[in-house]
Amino acid sequence: MSITTSDAHRTPDISPKSRSRWLALAVIAVAQLLIVLDATIVNIALPTAQKALHISDADRQWMITAYTLAFGGLLLLGGRIADFTGRKRAFIIGLLGFAAASALGGLATNAFMLFSARALQGAFGALMAPAALSLLTVTFTEPRERARAFGVYGAIAGGGGAVGLLMGGLLTEYASWRWTLLVSTPIAIIAALAAARFVGESRAEGNTHYDLPGALTSTAGLVALVYGFTKASEDGWDSPTTIGFLVAAVLLLVAFVVIELRSSHPLLPMRVILDRNRGGSFLAALLIGSGLFGVFLFLTFYLQITLGYSALMTGVAFLPFTLGIILGAGVSAQLQTRVGPRLLMFGGLLMSTIGMVMLTRIGVDTGFWTHVFPAELVISFGMGVTFGPMSNTALVGVADHDAGVASALINTTQQIGGSLGTALLNTIFTSAVAAYIVDRQATASDPASLTAAATVHSYTVAFWWSAALIGLAAIIALVLVKAGREEANANAGTAVMV
């Protein structure tokens, strides 16, 4: 397919085939919303669920970690399965499995049943997510339409977490914590039925053998890495358990790279990540996930503990984040075919870095409207500008045979980055609290005030680290991503529906 200058200015296609594409986008957007939403919707419901199922403080984190471990660890394999078995088929299976797992979690009678359901959600999400992005790639081939489609996808990917926090607060306060899981079941079933009607099939051609050694080592290595960082936040970096899992992760991931270099049908072809545009996008996504999770984690604590917000009001307080994402994604979609992804990624990430620095100004006596609200808007607008071009650039020049695994890597890097970043920032936060109290307890007259000040100070330390991570992502986007307007637009016309 060739794209001429006049193509960009032609009359919009309103044929039934065109309308079907946009209906397919709606289905894909709903699926992506489910994936992102379920990573955060249970956060606010966690205390209630812990009390209802008699979960210990040591085990309660598995309600979140079971999902992220399964999702991040199985994404690469899920991408290859989608490539070879058919992306529409994998997408529908993922949706139906996600619906069943959500129902299982909502009906859980004990901790093991709940944690197992969350792991199943992550596993089916790992099949659904790369299939969804691959379908988006091969469905929209005209540059202007593709930019709009990726803008919608980026808005969902960036704003879904904040929507999850709002829904979690609403459902927990006015219904039950169980509905934070049950609500996904009917939505996923309806999306699967719509996908069967409106989404076209697409699959990789040629060699369709599975790289089982690569799948085992990559999955085990990623799970060990995430679990090692999770244990570090609980037991410390010098814990034998932490060290053991991190060493095992390094050995498994090195073994994975060796296997991929020698395999005739690798799970992750090195050609996918060694391209500087795609590699830069994947590395930026990893750093964004690491830094952005600090906003949701510590800002939630600040709103509830320091400002005294209820679960519902905490969710409402994240609405500006969703608004900023939508606005930024809209601007990005309009500019992507004019200025190219590189400048949009750099500008968006730089803006988000500035917003994160603005959050470091919070204090014990500061308010939401003066300190949190402006920072939320700046961070989220920058992320809205970034996500669409980043997803597009991560697929620049990728062969159709590798579209699923390339799509999986976008989600893998963000999810693994979020898991690692959460553990890292939580460890930094804990250390900062202890150091602040030790330095000032001799002269403090009120222990409660000292603890409050130490907590807020440590939030700001975490925000500084988050700003550094996102700022580094901006530099990487500027230095490594070289794809301009012409290359991104040309890439939009290379994929076709099978």
Side-chain angles (χ1 to χ4, degrees), residues 370-419:
T370 57
H371 288 72
V372 178
F373 176 75
E376 276 190 330
L377 283 181
V378 175
I379 294 169
S380 57
F381 186 87
M383 286 298 169
V385 170
T386 301
F387 282 126
M390 184 175 68
S391 298
N392 194 0
T393 306
L395 298 172
V396 163
V398 71
D400 181 67
H401 193 81
D402 296 325
V405 70
S407 302
L409 269 176
I410 299 174
N411 286 284
T412 298
T413 50
Q414 287 179 328
Q415 193 67 33
I416 296 300
S419 300

mmCIF file of all heavy atoms in Angstrom, residues 370-419:
data_model
loop_
_atom_site.group_PDB
_atom_site.id
_atom_site.type_symbol
_atom_site.label_atom_id
_atom_site.label_comp_id
_atom_site.label_asym_id
_atom_site.label_seq_id
_atom_site.Cartn_x
_atom_site.Cartn_y
_atom_site.Cartn_z
ATOM 1 N N THR A 370 -4.356 23.610 45.410
ATOM 2 C CA THR A 370 -3.172 24.448 45.199
ATOM 3 C C THR A 370 -1.933 23.658 44.806
ATOM 4 O O THR A 370 -1.062 24.175 44.095
ATOM 5 C CB THR A 370 -2.858 25.251 46.470
ATOM 6 O OG1 THR A 370 -2.687 24.341 47.572
ATOM 7 C CG2 THR A 370 -3.979 26.220 46.785
ATOM 8 N N HIS A 371 -1.840 22.395 45.240
ATOM 9 C CA HIS A 371 -0.596 21.654 45.030
ATOM 10 C C HIS A 371 -0.773 20.360 44.239
ATOM 11 O O HIS A 371 0.084 20.019 43.414
ATOM 12 C CB HIS A 371 0.055 21.329 46.380
ATOM 13 C CG HIS A 371 0.646 22.511 47.071
ATOM 14 N ND1 HIS A 371 -0.124 23.497 47.646
ATOM 15 C CD2 HIS A 371 1.942 22.884 47.263
ATOM 16 C CE1 HIS A 371 0.675 24.413 48.163
ATOM 17 N NE2 HIS A 371 1.923 24.078 47.962
ATOM 18 N N VAL A 372 -1.849 19.635 44.468
ATOM 19 C CA VAL A 372 -2.025 18.344 43.800
ATOM 20 C C VAL A 372 -2.667 18.503 42.435
ATOM 21 O O VAL A 372 -2.191 17.945 41.433
ATOM 22 C CB VAL A 372 -2.869 17.385 44.672
ATOM 23 C CG1 VAL A 372 -3.096 16.063 43.942
ATOM 24 C CG2 VAL A 372 -2.170 17.140 46.001
ATOM 25 N N PHE A 373 -3.740 19.260 42.351
ATOM 26 C CA PHE A 373 -4.499 19.416 41.111
ATOM 27 C C PHE A 373 -3.642 19.915 39.940
ATOM 28 O O PHE A 373 -3.656 19.306 38.857
ATOM 29 C CB PHE A 373 -5.689 20.339 41.358
ATOM 30 C CG PHE A 373 -6.496 20.652 40.133
ATOM 31 C CD1 PHE A 373 -7.358 19.707 39.585
ATOM 32 C CD2 PHE A 373 -6.396 21.892 39.519
ATOM 33 C CE1 PHE A 373 -8.097 19.990 38.447
ATOM 34 C CE2 PHE A 373 -7.130 22.196 38.391
ATOM 35 C CZ PHE A 373 -7.990 21.245 37.851
ATOM 36 N N PRO A 374 -2.881 21.020 40.093
ATOM 37 C CA PRO A 374 -2.068 21.472 38.951
ATOM 38 C C PRO A 374 -1.038 20.430 38.517
ATOM 39 O O PRO A 374 -0.813 20.240 37.316
ATOM 40 C CB PRO A 374 -1.394 22.741 39.488
ATOM 41 C CG PRO A 374 -2.201 23.162 40.652
ATOM 42 C CD PRO A 374 -2.729 21.907 41.264
ATOM 43 N N ALA A 375 -0.412 19.767 39.474
ATOM 44 C CA ALA A 375 0.596 18.764 39.135
ATOM 45 C C ALA A 375 -0.027 17.587 38.391
ATOM 46 O O ALA A 375 0.542 17.063 37.425
ATOM 47 C CB ALA A 375 1.294 18.273 40.406
ATOM 48 N N GLU A 376 -1.211 17.159 38.840
ATOM 49 C CA GLU A 376 -1.909 16.064 38.162
ATOM 50 C C GLU A 376 -2.161 16.391 36.698
ATOM 51 O O GLU A 376 -1.950 15.554 35.810
ATOM 52 C CB GLU A 376 -3.250 15.783 38.849
ATOM 53 C CG GLU A 376 -3.167 14.864 40.044
ATOM 54 C CD GLU A 376 -4.547 14.438 40.503
ATOM 55 O OE1 GLU A 376 -5.515 15.208 40.339
ATOM 56 O OE2 GLU A 376 -4.664 13.324 41.033
ATOM 57 N N LEU A 377 -2.632 17.607 36.431
ATOM 58 C CA LEU A 377 -2.944 17.997 35.059
ATOM 59 C C LEU A 377 -1.692 18.003 34.180
ATOM 60 O O LEU A 377 -1.712 17.541 33.034
ATOM 61 C CB LEU A 377 -3.609 19.374 35.036
ATOM 62 C CG LEU A 377 -5.081 19.436 35.449
ATOM 63 C CD1 LEU A 377 -5.591 20.871 35.335
ATOM 64 C CD2 LEU A 377 -5.926 18.508 34.586
ATOM 65 N N VAL A 378 -0.599 18.546 34.707
ATOM 66 C CA VAL A 378 0.634 18.624 33.910
ATOM 67 C C VAL A 378 1.191 17.227 33.636
ATOM 68 O O VAL A 378 1.577 16.910 32.504
ATOM 69 C CB VAL A 378 1.675 19.509 34.629
ATOM 70 C CG1 VAL A 378 3.002 19.494 33.873
ATOM 71 C CG2 VAL A 378 1.155 20.939 34.757
ATOM 72 N N ILE A 379 1.244 16.379 34.663
ATOM 73 C CA ILE A 379 1.748 15.018 34.482
ATOM 74 C C ILE A 379 0.903 14.259 33.476
ATOM 75 O O ILE A 379 1.414 13.636 32.532
ATOM 76 C CB ILE A 379 1.766 14.257 35.829
ATOM 77 C CG1 ILE A 379 2.762 14.869 36.791
ATOM 78 C CG2 ILE A 379 2.113 12.777 35.604
ATOM 79 C CD1 ILE A 379 2.645 14.332 38.213
ATOM 80 N N SER A 380 -0.407 14.306 33.650
ATOM 81 C CA SER A 380 -1.289 13.497 32.815
ATOM 82 C C SER A 380 -1.352 14.009 31.386
ATOM 83 O O SER A 380 -1.412 13.213 30.442
ATOM 84 C CB SER A 380 -2.693 13.464 33.425
ATOM 85 O OG SER A 380 -3.222 14.766 33.579
ATOM 86 N N PHE A 381 -1.324 15.317 31.187
ATOM 87 C CA PHE A 381 -1.321 15.847 29.822
ATOM 88 C C PHE A 381 -0.066 15.388 29.083
ATOM 89 O O PHE A 381 -0.123 14.970 27.923
ATOM 90 C CB PHE A 381 -1.395 17.375 29.835
ATOM 91 C CG PHE A 381 -1.545 17.984 28.465
ATOM 92 C CD1 PHE A 381 -2.805 18.145 27.904
ATOM 93 C CD2 PHE A 381 -0.430 18.381 27.735
ATOM 94 C CE1 PHE A 381 -2.950 18.697 26.642
ATOM 95 C CE2 PHE A 381 -0.564 18.931 26.480
ATOM 96 C CZ PHE A 381 -1.831 19.092 25.926
ATOM 97 N N GLY A 382 1.074 15.449 29.776
ATOM 98 C CA GLY A 382 2.313 14.983 29.159
ATOM 99 C C GLY A 382 2.274 13.504 28.821
ATOM 100 O O GLY A 382 2.723 13.083 27.751
ATOM 101 N N MET A 383 1.698 12.701 29.706
ATOM 102 C CA MET A 383 1.582 11.274 29.431
ATOM 103 C C MET A 383 0.616 11.007 28.284
ATOM 104 O O MET A 383 0.839 10.120 27.457
ATOM 105 C CB MET A 383 1.118 10.532 30.689
ATOM 106 C CG MET A 383 2.199 10.389 31.738
ATOM 107 S SD MET A 383 3.598 9.423 31.125
ATOM 108 C CE MET A 383 4.803 9.727 32.432
ATOM 109 N N GLY A 384 -0.473 11.780 28.209
ATOM 110 C CA GLY A 384 -1.398 11.636 27.102
ATOM 111 C C GLY A 384 -0.738 11.931 25.763
ATOM 112 O O GLY A 384 -1.009 11.258 24.759
ATOM 113 N N VAL A 385 0.131 12.916 25.741
ATOM 114 C CA VAL A 385 0.884 13.227 24.520
ATOM 115 C C VAL A 385 1.843 12.094 24.165
ATOM 116 O O VAL A 385 2.074 11.790 22.997
ATOM 117 C CB VAL A 385 1.658 14.550 24.700
ATOM 118 C CG1 VAL A 385 2.628 14.781 23.546
ATOM 119 C CG2 VAL A 385 0.686 15.725 24.814
ATOM 120 N N THR A 386 2.373 11.415 25.171
ATOM 121 C CA THR A 386 3.440 10.429 24.974
ATOM 122 C C THR A 386 2.941 9.062 24.536
ATOM 123 O O THR A 386 3.540 8.433 23.650
ATOM 124 C CB THR A 386 4.246 10.266 26.284
ATOM 125 O OG1 THR A 386 4.796 11.515 26.660
ATOM 126 C CG2 THR A 386 5.355 9.229 26.124
ATOM 127 N N PHE A 387 1.876 8.542 25.136
ATOM 128 C CA PHE A 387 1.533 7.129 24.994
ATOM 129 C C PHE A 387 1.251 6.705 23.554
ATOM 130 O O PHE A 387 1.706 5.653 23.114
ATOM 131 C CB PHE A 387 0.341 6.775 25.883
ATOM 132 C CG PHE A 387 0.693 6.607 27.327
ATOM 133 C CD1 PHE A 387 0.022 7.311 28.309
ATOM 134 C CD2 PHE A 387 1.713 5.752 27.707
ATOM 135 C CE1 PHE A 387 0.342 7.165 29.641
ATOM 136 C CE2 PHE A 387 2.052 5.603 29.043
ATOM 137 C CZ PHE A 387 1.363 6.310 30.013
ATOM 138 N N GLY A 388 0.484 7.488 22.807
ATOM 139 C CA GLY A 388 0.178 7.114 21.421
ATOM 140 C C GLY A 388 1.418 7.010 20.551
ATOM 141 O O GLY A 388 1.657 5.976 19.913
ATOM 142 N N PRO A 389 2.248 8.060 20.470
ATOM 143 C CA PRO A 389 3.480 7.974 19.687
ATOM 144 C C PRO A 389 4.428 6.871 20.150
ATOM 145 O O PRO A 389 5.103 6.250 19.332
ATOM 146 C CB PRO A 389 4.124 9.355 19.885
ATOM 147 C CG PRO A 389 2.993 10.249 20.229
ATOM 148 C CD PRO A 389 2.016 9.420 20.993
ATOM 149 N N MET A 390 4.485 6.625 21.458
ATOM 150 C CA MET A 390 5.357 5.564 21.961
ATOM 151 C C MET A 390 4.889 4.193 21.478
ATOM 152 O O MET A 390 5.700 3.364 21.049
ATOM 153 C CB MET A 390 5.399 5.598 23.490
ATOM 154 C CG MET A 390 6.359 4.591 24.108
ATOM 155 S SD MET A 390 6.486 4.770 25.905
ATOM 156 C CE MET A 390 4.838 4.239 26.387
ATOM 157 N N SER A 391 3.582 3.937 21.536
ATOM 158 C CA SER A 391 3.051 2.664 21.046
ATOM 159 C C SER A 391 3.289 2.523 19.556
ATOM 160 O O SER A 391 3.631 1.435 19.062
ATOM 161 C CB SER A 391 1.549 2.575 21.353
ATOM 162 O OG SER A 391 1.303 2.611 22.736
ATOM 163 N N ASN A 392 3.123 3.609 18.813
ATOM 164 C CA ASN A 392 3.338 3.569 17.369
ATOM 165 C C ASN A 392 4.806 3.311 17.041
ATOM 166 O O ASN A 392 5.135 2.458 16.203
ATOM 167 C CB ASN A 392 2.884 4.896 16.758
ATOM 168 C CG ASN A 392 2.747 4.822 15.245
ATOM 169 O OD1 ASN A 392 2.992 3.787 14.633
ATOM 170 N ND2 ASN A 392 2.355 5.927 14.647
ATOM 171 N N THR A 393 5.703 4.031 17.703
ATOM 172 C CA THR A 393 7.134 3.900 17.430
ATOM 173 C C THR A 393 7.656 2.519 17.804
ATOM 174 O O THR A 393 8.574 2.000 17.158
ATOM 175 C CB THR A 393 7.921 4.978 18.201
ATOM 176 O OG1 THR A 393 7.384 6.257 17.887
ATOM 177 C CG2 THR A 393 9.390 4.942 17.825
ATOM 178 N N ALA A 394 7.075 1.901 18.825
ATOM 179 C CA ALA A 394 7.503 0.567 19.223
ATOM 180 C C ALA A 394 7.201 -0.478 18.150
ATOM 181 O O ALA A 394 7.741 -1.588 18.205
ATOM 182 C CB ALA A 394 6.814 0.164 20.521
ATOM 183 N N LEU A 395 6.372 -0.126 17.182
ATOM 184 C CA LEU A 395 6.028 -1.051 16.104
ATOM 185 C C LEU A 395 6.534 -0.577 14.746
ATOM 186 O O LEU A 395 6.205 -1.176 13.717
ATOM 187 C CB LEU A 395 4.503 -1.235 16.045
ATOM 188 C CG LEU A 395 3.876 -1.851 17.297
ATOM 189 C CD1 LEU A 395 2.358 -1.806 17.203
ATOM 190 C CD2 LEU A 395 4.335 -3.283 17.483
ATOM 191 N N VAL A 396 7.333 0.483 14.724
ATOM 192 C CA VAL A 396 7.859 0.982 13.452
ATOM 193 C C VAL A 396 8.748 -0.070 12.792
ATOM 194 O O VAL A 396 9.703 -0.567 13.399
ATOM 195 C CB VAL A 396 8.663 2.288 13.668
ATOM 196 C CG1 VAL A 396 9.545 2.591 12.469
ATOM 197 C CG2 VAL A 396 7.724 3.451 13.918
ATOM 198 N N GLY A 397 8.426 -0.423 11.562
ATOM 199 C CA GLY A 397 9.256 -1.337 10.790
ATOM 200 C C GLY A 397 9.196 -2.783 11.218
ATOM 201 O O GLY A 397 9.928 -3.609 10.668
ATOM 202 N N VAL A 398 8.337 -3.147 12.174
ATOM 203 C CA VAL A 398 8.292 -4.529 12.619
ATOM 204 C C VAL A 398 7.544 -5.366 11.586
ATOM 205 O O VAL A 398 6.550 -4.932 11.015
ATOM 206 C CB VAL A 398 7.625 -4.637 14.015
ATOM 207 C CG1 VAL A 398 6.126 -4.378 13.936
ATOM 208 C CG2 VAL A 398 7.891 -5.980 14.645
ATOM 209 N N ALA A 399 8.051 -6.570 11.334
ATOM 210 C CA ALA A 399 7.393 -7.467 10.392
ATOM 211 C C ALA A 399 6.088 -7.978 10.983
ATOM 212 O O ALA A 399 5.947 -8.101 12.202
ATOM 213 C CB ALA A 399 8.310 -8.642 10.059
ATOM 214 N N ASP A 400 5.133 -8.301 10.104
ATOM 215 C CA ASP A 400 3.843 -8.808 10.582
ATOM 216 C C ASP A 400 4.037 -10.055 11.439
ATOM 217 O O ASP A 400 3.303 -10.271 12.402
ATOM 218 C CB ASP A 400 2.945 -9.121 9.384
ATOM 219 C CG ASP A 400 1.574 -9.625 9.809
ATOM 220 O OD1 ASP A 400 0.813 -8.849 10.402
ATOM 221 O OD2 ASP A 400 1.281 -10.813 9.552
ATOM 222 N N HIS A 401 5.046 -10.856 11.099
ATOM 223 C CA HIS A 401 5.307 -12.085 11.849
ATOM 224 C C HIS A 401 5.676 -11.800 13.304
ATOM 225 O O HIS A 401 5.473 -12.636 14.176
ATOM 226 C CB HIS A 401 6.452 -12.842 11.154
ATOM 227 C CG HIS A 401 6.625 -14.251 11.635
ATOM 228 N ND1 HIS A 401 5.844 -15.288 11.182
ATOM 229 C CD2 HIS A 401 7.474 -14.789 12.531
ATOM 230 C CE1 HIS A 401 6.218 -16.415 11.774
ATOM 231 N NE2 HIS A 401 7.213 -16.142 12.600
ATOM 232 N N ASP A 402 6.210 -10.597 13.565
ATOM 233 C CA ASP A 402 6.663 -10.240 14.918
ATOM 234 C C ASP A 402 5.758 -9.229 15.603
ATOM 235 O O ASP A 402 6.096 -8.740 16.687
ATOM 236 C CB ASP A 402 8.080 -9.652 14.856
ATOM 237 C CG ASP A 402 9.107 -10.660 14.363
ATOM 238 O OD1 ASP A 402 8.950 -11.847 14.684
ATOM 239 O OD2 ASP A 402 10.042 -10.249 13.657
ATOM 240 N N ALA A 403 4.613 -8.907 15.005
ATOM 241 C CA ALA A 403 3.769 -7.845 15.554
ATOM 242 C C ALA A 403 3.270 -8.179 16.953
ATOM 243 O O ALA A 403 3.202 -7.314 17.826
ATOM 244 C CB ALA A 403 2.584 -7.583 14.619
ATOM 245 N N GLY A 404 2.921 -9.446 17.187
ATOM 246 C CA GLY A 404 2.388 -9.823 18.498
ATOM 247 C C GLY A 404 3.420 -9.683 19.597
ATOM 248 O O GLY A 404 3.133 -9.139 20.669
ATOM 249 N N VAL A 405 4.637 -10.166 19.345
ATOM 250 C CA VAL A 405 5.654 -10.101 20.391
ATOM 251 C C VAL A 405 6.105 -8.662 20.615
ATOM 252 O O VAL A 405 6.395 -8.263 21.751
ATOM 253 C CB VAL A 405 6.850 -11.021 20.036
ATOM 254 C CG1 VAL A 405 7.651 -10.490 18.870
ATOM 255 C CG2 VAL A 405 7.748 -11.216 21.244
ATOM 256 N N ALA A 406 6.149 -7.849 19.547
ATOM 257 C CA ALA A 406 6.499 -6.443 19.718
ATOM 258 C C ALA A 406 5.438 -5.727 20.535
ATOM 259 O O ALA A 406 5.746 -4.900 21.409
ATOM 260 C CB ALA A 406 6.669 -5.770 18.356
ATOM 261 N N SER A 407 4.175 -6.038 20.267
ATOM 262 C CA SER A 407 3.091 -5.449 21.048
ATOM 263 C C SER A 407 3.171 -5.884 22.503
ATOM 264 O O SER A 407 2.941 -5.094 23.429
ATOM 265 C CB SER A 407 1.739 -5.874 20.459
ATOM 266 O OG SER A 407 1.629 -5.492 19.111
ATOM 267 N N ALA A 408 3.489 -7.165 22.719
ATOM 268 C CA ALA A 408 3.597 -7.679 24.081
ATOM 269 C C ALA A 408 4.705 -6.962 24.850
ATOM 270 O O ALA A 408 4.583 -6.727 26.057
ATOM 271 C CB ALA A 408 3.867 -9.176 24.058
ATOM 272 N N LEU A 409 5.785 -6.618 24.163
ATOM 273 C CA LEU A 409 6.898 -5.969 24.844
ATOM 274 C C LEU A 409 6.519 -4.603 25.393
ATOM 275 O O LEU A 409 7.050 -4.186 26.438
ATOM 276 C CB LEU A 409 8.089 -5.823 23.875
ATOM 277 C CG LEU A 409 9.087 -6.972 23.866
ATOM 278 C CD1 LEU A 409 10.149 -6.731 22.804
ATOM 279 C CD2 LEU A 409 9.738 -7.136 25.230
ATOM 280 N N ILE A 410 5.616 -3.885 24.723
ATOM 281 C CA ILE A 410 5.182 -2.586 25.234
ATOM 282 C C ILE A 410 4.532 -2.764 26.600
ATOM 283 O O ILE A 410 4.857 -2.078 27.578
ATOM 284 C CB ILE A 410 4.203 -1.917 24.253
ATOM 285 C CG1 ILE A 410 4.881 -1.674 22.903
ATOM 286 C CG2 ILE A 410 3.677 -0.608 24.836
ATOM 287 C CD1 ILE A 410 3.945 -1.165 21.846
ATOM 288 N N ASN A 411 3.596 -3.705 26.676
ATOM 289 C CA ASN A 411 2.925 -3.967 27.949
ATOM 290 C C ASN A 411 3.868 -4.591 28.970
ATOM 291 O O ASN A 411 3.797 -4.291 30.161
ATOM 292 C CB ASN A 411 1.726 -4.892 27.720
ATOM 293 C CG ASN A 411 0.564 -4.189 27.062
ATOM 294 O OD1 ASN A 411 -0.160 -3.437 27.688
ATOM 295 N ND2 ASN A 411 0.405 -4.410 25.770
ATOM 296 N N THR A 412 4.754 -5.489 28.506
ATOM 297 C CA THR A 412 5.694 -6.140 29.418
ATOM 298 C C THR A 412 6.585 -5.111 30.104
ATOM 299 O O THR A 412 6.760 -5.126 31.320
ATOM 300 C CB THR A 412 6.569 -7.158 28.670
ATOM 301 O OG1 THR A 412 5.738 -8.180 28.133
ATOM 302 C CG2 THR A 412 7.595 -7.788 29.594
ATOM 303 N N THR A 413 7.159 -4.205 29.309
ATOM 304 C CA THR A 413 8.078 -3.218 29.876
ATOM 305 C C THR A 413 7.356 -2.285 30.842
ATOM 306 O O THR A 413 7.888 -1.959 31.914
ATOM 307 C CB THR A 413 8.762 -2.405 28.764
ATOM 308 O OG1 THR A 413 7.762 -1.915 27.843
ATOM 309 C CG2 THR A 413 9.755 -3.261 28.004
ATOM 310 N N GLN A 414 6.139 -1.865 30.503
ATOM 311 C CA GLN A 414 5.396 -0.995 31.405
ATOM 312 C C GLN A 414 5.015 -1.722 32.696
ATOM 313 O O GLN A 414 5.129 -1.169 33.790
ATOM 314 C CB GLN A 414 4.130 -0.477 30.718
ATOM 315 C CG GLN A 414 4.403 0.569 29.651
ATOM 316 C CD GLN A 414 3.133 1.040 28.975
ATOM 317 O OE1 GLN A 414 2.179 0.288 28.820
ATOM 318 N NE2 GLN A 414 3.116 2.282 28.556
ATOM 319 N N GLN A 415 4.568 -2.978 32.563
ATOM 320 C CA GLN A 415 4.132 -3.724 33.743
ATOM 321 C C GLN A 415 5.302 -4.082 34.650
ATOM 322 O O GLN A 415 5.240 -3.917 35.860
ATOM 323 C CB GLN A 415 3.396 -4.996 33.308
ATOM 324 C CG GLN A 415 2.626 -5.680 34.415
ATOM 325 C CD GLN A 415 1.454 -4.844 34.896
ATOM 326 O OE1 GLN A 415 0.841 -4.132 34.125
ATOM 327 N NE2 GLN A 415 1.167 -4.913 36.188
ATOM 328 N N ILE A 416 6.377 -4.589 34.038
ATOM 329 C CA ILE A 416 7.556 -4.920 34.828
ATOM 330 C C ILE A 416 8.143 -3.657 35.447
ATOM 331 O O ILE A 416 8.554 -3.632 36.614
ATOM 332 C CB ILE A 416 8.602 -5.646 33.965
ATOM 333 C CG1 ILE A 416 8.057 -6.985 33.473
ATOM 334 C CG2 ILE A 416 9.890 -5.864 34.753
ATOM 335 C CD1 ILE A 416 7.672 -7.954 34.551
ATOM 336 N N GLY A 417 8.166 -2.575 34.669
ATOM 337 C CA GLY A 417 8.648 -1.306 35.205
ATOM 338 C C GLY A 417 7.817 -0.843 36.383
ATOM 339 O O GLY A 417 8.350 -0.389 37.401
ATOM 340 N N GLY A 418 6.484 -0.977 36.271
ATOM 341 C CA GLY A 418 5.620 -0.585 37.378
ATOM 342 C C GLY A 418 5.854 -1.424 38.617
ATOM 343 O O GLY A 418 5.889 -0.904 39.739
ATOM 344 N N SER A 419 6.013 -2.727 38.428
ATOM 345 C CA SER A 419 6.252 -3.612 39.570
ATOM 346 C C SER A 419 7.590 -3.304 40.240
ATOM 347 O O SER A 419 7.687 -3.199 41.466
ATOM 348 C CB SER A 419 6.213 -5.071 39.112
ATOM 349 O OG SER A 419 4.957 -5.394 38.561
#
